[in-house]
Amino acid sequence: MLISGVHRQTYAGNLPVITLARRIVQPENPSRTLGVFWVDIRLERLAEIARRVRLGRTGYLCILNSQGQVIYHPETDLIGKPLKLPFFHKLQNGNGYRFLVKVN
């Protein structure tokens, strides 16, 4: 699945959105693409959902795309910028999306 960076769509009132896209393949022949399914999500709606997530007493949700660009962060000045985290490679290496990191 592709998760885009933040961009604006004119049909959405020029509001900032992210795009989620996935290739649709022929079941008998996965190398044959039948089409692409995509959906644009308004960044405002995504932020409403993410703000409600509580991780412990002081934790928060941060959403990055596959290049490490910030899609959502409570510190809004970080949105659209690359976020370099020492454990980001664990997300990129394809070994799953769960891991434990202790942060002081």
Side-chain angles (χ1 to χ4, degrees):
M1 177 177 292
L2 168 101
I3 302 174
S4 76
V6 178
H7 60 281
R8 294 182 180 274
Q9 286 292 0
T10 54
Y11 69 82
N14 207 31
L15 296 172
V17 298
I18 64 165
T19 301
L20 305 177
R22 182 157 188 122
R23 186 171 66 108
I24 300 169
V25 299
Q26 185 177 38
E28 311 80 45
N29 183 5
S31 64
R32 182 162 184 245
T33 300
L34 299 175
V36 176
F37 173 79
W38 82 85
V39 62
D40 286 333
I41 301 173
R42 289 186 324 193
L43 192 59
E44 175 184 295
R45 180 67 180 130
L46 186 63
E48 288 172 14
I49 295 166
R51 274 192 292 271
R52 288 188 241 144
V53 175
R54 297 289 175 233
L55 303 171
R57 285 190 233 162
T58 60
Y60 55 85
L61 179 67
C62 175
I63 302 172
L64 308 174
N65 69 8
S66 61
Q67 289 78 43
Q69 181 186 26
V70 177
I71 301 299
Y72 168 78
H73 196 287
E75 296 176 30
T76 56
D77 59 316
L78 294 176
I79 294 173
K81 297 179 181 172
L83 188 61
K84 302 297 180 195
L85 299 170
F87 54 83
F88 187 69
H89 69 280
K90 291 183 180 184
L91 292 172
Q92 292 179 308
N93 70 10
N95 292 333
Y97 297 98
R98 294 185 301 167
F99 59 91
L100 179 63
V101 175
K102 185 172 182 175
V103 179
N104 295 330

